[in-house]
Amino acid sequence: MTSVWRTIRSAYLAAVLIGVPLAARGQGTAANGVSWPQQNVVIRGGWLFTSTGNDVIRNRGVLIVAGRLLAVDRPITPAEMVGARVIDLRDDQYVLPGIFDVHAHYNMTLGAGGVRSDEYTYNPLIFLANGVTSTFPAGEYDPEGMMAARQRIDAGEQIGPRIYNSGPYFGTARRGWNQNATSADIYRDVDEWAAKGARAFKAKGIAPQHLRALIERAHLHGLTVTAHLESGFRNTTNARDAILMGIDRVEHILGGDQLDSNKTAYPLWSMVDTSSKQFKDIVQLFVSRHVMFDPTITAPVYFSQLQDGFDYWIDERKFFTPEVQAWVKTKPARHVVASWDSLYWAMRRTTKALYDAGGQLTLGTDNPSTGEFLAGFSAHRELHTLVLTGIPTAAALKIATINGARALGVSDKLGTIEVGKLADLFVVRGNPVRDIKNTRNVQLVLKSGFVYDPKELLAQAEGKIGPSPRRDP
Ligand SMILES: [Zn+2]
């Protein structure tokens, strides 16, 4: 990047960091190690959902210094107020920890003949504006590009959530995947992506011997593995076997002996009997081995009829380019696709059954956009759907926050509102414990103590996502 462009970019960033006059900001070092001006922040009034208890509490005061929470729920002294940016909340405003989307695809398939590819220029703004401050992309098509986007964000050159890079898919989901790879090949691959900065790995369409090698090597690097698994059919892996290999997390379906290894998994899972012994056995295996489960309940809905929660509270179609918007209008009307529809309901009941058995859940959207919905907004759809399964709202909010932080190994510094943690927060209008849909009303977002106006972030992305022949090179 040229220095002229860097200067322009810095001015642009300063303009988006709202309400903080440049001259008034003190020099500081953000918690992510980036050195740039940062003002102390005080949040007074309103309410807190800290993700440590099961209800909201009145906020007596929050103090953020250098991106970190130095005081939570105590009166802030006049001395601490000096030079600080003071945010006074109304009685109908609630502060929550930032959302973790641990299946946060940046990729999209847009336009006729569009190829699924990662969009990391404007999609980060959409995530952050929705209070999603941490994302695990769960399989990247352009891992170099995604890594560069994360580096720009970490360096303060681009605005977006934290990106915990997954690197490329391990398995047939990767274009050009070598089905005949040896363990040594897998080890080399893992070493390479660990060196490049991958924070955890995602397998999809992986053979048992490859998954075993991936888990073994990733763990030597202190990195975790999650996977989209199958029944065992055609050299795929059942979650039961993956858990015995030591996998850390599993996506979408629990698997186990209810699946027939001579048949593909998903049609069978759509009919899963949660009262069966086989189901209870696999649930018990997840619980006893502390394997986290990321249900992505809303994922099948993107291919079938719309379910409860799939309304537009902001018409997110406007963020796509006019060309993409025109293309979306040419698509056939949505209709029930029986297999996806029944999978959605199966995911709802299996998720609740795992929760009831004491299993650890996370929130993942798995929304590779096709021009109608965007994953940042869909985080609120998934959160709402967790509650539709029967999970209490406070528990769902913890799943969306602290459990995500645990899944990514960062619960010591993120995931709750507690003294000493990084100030990744969002403010909503309306009590989210009383009505989970209130998380959609995002008023303000903080990441490492930097304050963002969601409206300004969204305005930056309007009309920008997707191919456009008129786009400047
Ligand atoms: Zn996915």
Side-chain angles (χ1 to χ4, degrees):
M1 197 185 289
T2 68
S3 65
V4 172
W5 172 238
R6 193 180 286 274
T7 306
I8 293 168
R9 175 74 83 157
S10 302
Y12 156 78
L13 283 165
V16 179
L17 292 165
I18 60 157
V20 187
L22 266 175
R25 279 203 235 132
Q27 196 69 34
T29 303
N32 59 7
V34 178
S35 197
W36 61 354
Q38 187 167 15
Q39 190 182 23
N40 292 356
V41 178
V42 169
I43 305 175
R44 301 187 302 188
W47 302 75
L48 305 175
F49 182 83
T50 61
S51 272
T52 59
N54 286 317
D55 207 349
V56 295
I57 54 170
R58 279 198 177 276
N59 171 35
R60 290 184 295 165
V62 170
L63 172 67
I64 299 162
V65 177
R68 215 168 268 275
L69 294 160
L70 291 202
V72 171
D73 188 32
R74 73 152 167 81
I76 307 303
T77 67
E80 289 168 332
M81 304 270 284
V82 175
R85 169 164 185 207
V86 179
I87 298 168
D88 281 310
L89 299 182
R90 297 188 312 262
D91 209 41
D92 66 343
Q93 291 181 310
Y94 295 76
V95 188
L96 301 110
I99 293 172
F100 278 72
D101 182 350
V102 301
H103 199 129
H105 290 307
Y106 283 71
N107 59 63
M108 311 191 178
T109 310
L110 301 175
V115 175
R116 188 161 157 175
S117 51
D118 293 309
E119 203 291 340
Y120 36 70
T121 309
Y122 297 98
N123 210 13
L125 294 166
I126 306 282
F127 277 115
L128 194 62
N130 275 287
V132 179
T133 52
S134 287
T135 56
F136 175 69
E140 298 160 359
Y141 288 96
D142 176 7
E144 282 87 3
M146 287 294 295
M147 195 66 75
R150 160 190 158 187
Q151 285 160 357
R152 283 194 301 274
I153 289 169
D154 287 351
E157 296 168 6
Q158 183 181 340
I159 292 174
R162 298 174 195 278
I163 298 176
Y164 298 85
N165 292 88
S166 67
Y169 286 98
F170 280 74
T172 54
R174 187 192 304 185
R175 292 171 187 139
W177 175 252
N178 176 12
Q179 300 246 40
N180 302 313
T182 63
S183 291
D185 294 333
I186 303 280
Y187 291 165
R188 240 188 333 270
D189 207 7
V190 171
D191 291 351
E192 181 190 331
W193 285 101
K196 285 180 177 169
R199 299 288 295 271
F201 293 105
K202 164 80 184 291
K204 181 175 179 180
I206 194 163
Q209 73 276 15
H210 290 159
L211 182 59
R212 188 183 296 280
L214 167 61
I215 293 168
E216 195 178 288
R217 198 68 165 189
H219 285 179
L220 291 180
H221 287 288
L223 300 174
T224 57
V225 176
T226 188
H228 169 139
L229 296 165
E230 254 284 344
S231 62
F233 183 51
R234 289 191 180 140
N235 208 20
T236 59
T237 310
N238 189 309
R240 172 199 59 227
D241 303 322
I243 291 171
L244 296 176
M245 291 174 198
I247 201 166
D248 305 278
R249 301 187 276 133
V250 169
E251 310 291 314
H252 315 310
I253 64 170
L254 295 162
D257 293 335
Q258 191 134 99
L259 299 176
D260 179 343
S261 61
N262 295 310
K263 288 178 179 153
T264 184
Y266 283 75
L268 287 174
W269 195 255
S270 300
M271 303 180 294
V272 62
D273 174 6
T274 53
S275 67
S276 69
K277 181 186 181 305
Q278 295 96 318
F279 180 78
K280 286 177 178 160
D281 284 349
I282 192 68
V283 162
Q284 219 30 60
L285 194 60
F286 271 83
V287 173
S288 66
R289 300 286 179 127
H290 308 288
V291 174
M292 296 188 103
F293 180 59
D294 189 44
T296 70
I297 307 168
T298 46
V301 180
Y302 300 106
F303 309 101
S304 186
Q305 69 175 329
L306 297 185
Q307 298 286 356
D308 195 356
F310 275 76
D311 46 327
Y312 289 117
W313 54 98
I314 289 175
D315 189 347
E316 59 221 75
R317 290 170 293 197
K318 73 181 176 190
F319 299 107
F320 297 96
T321 57
E323 290 73 13
V324 172
Q325 291 183 42
W327 165 73
V328 168
K329 290 194 184 105
T330 67
K331 292 205 281 185
R334 284 180 169 274
H335 61 281
V336 182
V337 178
S339 57
W340 290 117
D341 203 49
S342 50
L343 182 61
Y344 164 81
W345 290 101
M347 284 175 159
R348 272 179 63 158
R349 58 180 193 275
T350 54
T351 298
K352 178 59 164 42
L354 182 68
Y355 172 80
D356 288 341
Q360 290 292 306
L361 296 158
T362 52
L363 180 144
T365 52
D366 193 13
N367 176 195
S369 184
T370 53
E372 291 168 281
F373 302 101
L374 284 159
F377 292 94
S378 289
H380 300 280
R381 296 189 173 98
E382 183 71 14
L383 185 49
H384 174 221
T385 306
L386 287 168
V387 173
L388 292 178
T389 71
I391 294 173
T393 50
L397 290 167
K398 289 179 182 175
I399 288 168
T401 55
I402 182 61
N403 283 16
R406 286 193 190 115
L408 298 176
V410 292
S411 58
D412 57 331
K413 48 181 182 274
L414 289 165
T416 60
I417 304 178
E418 288 180 279
V419 170
K421 287 200 174 181
L422 299 176
D424 281 19
L425 311 168
F426 71 117
V427 178
V428 302
R429 189 184 64 246
N431 185 342
V433 175
R434 195 163 299 158
D435 180 356
I436 198 68
K437 283 183 160 184
N438 284 328
T439 63
R440 301 167 167 194
N441 309 323
V442 183
Q443 316 266 288
L444 217 54
V445 181
L446 286 83
K447 196 187 103 189
S448 271
F450 285 96
V451 184
Y452 300 92
D453 178 345
K455 285 198 186 74
E456 291 189 31
L457 297 178
L458 292 177
Q460 300 287 331
E462 216 166 293
K464 299 283 176 50
I465 296 178
S468 167
R470 293 195 308 271
R471 173 82 52 79
D472 294 335

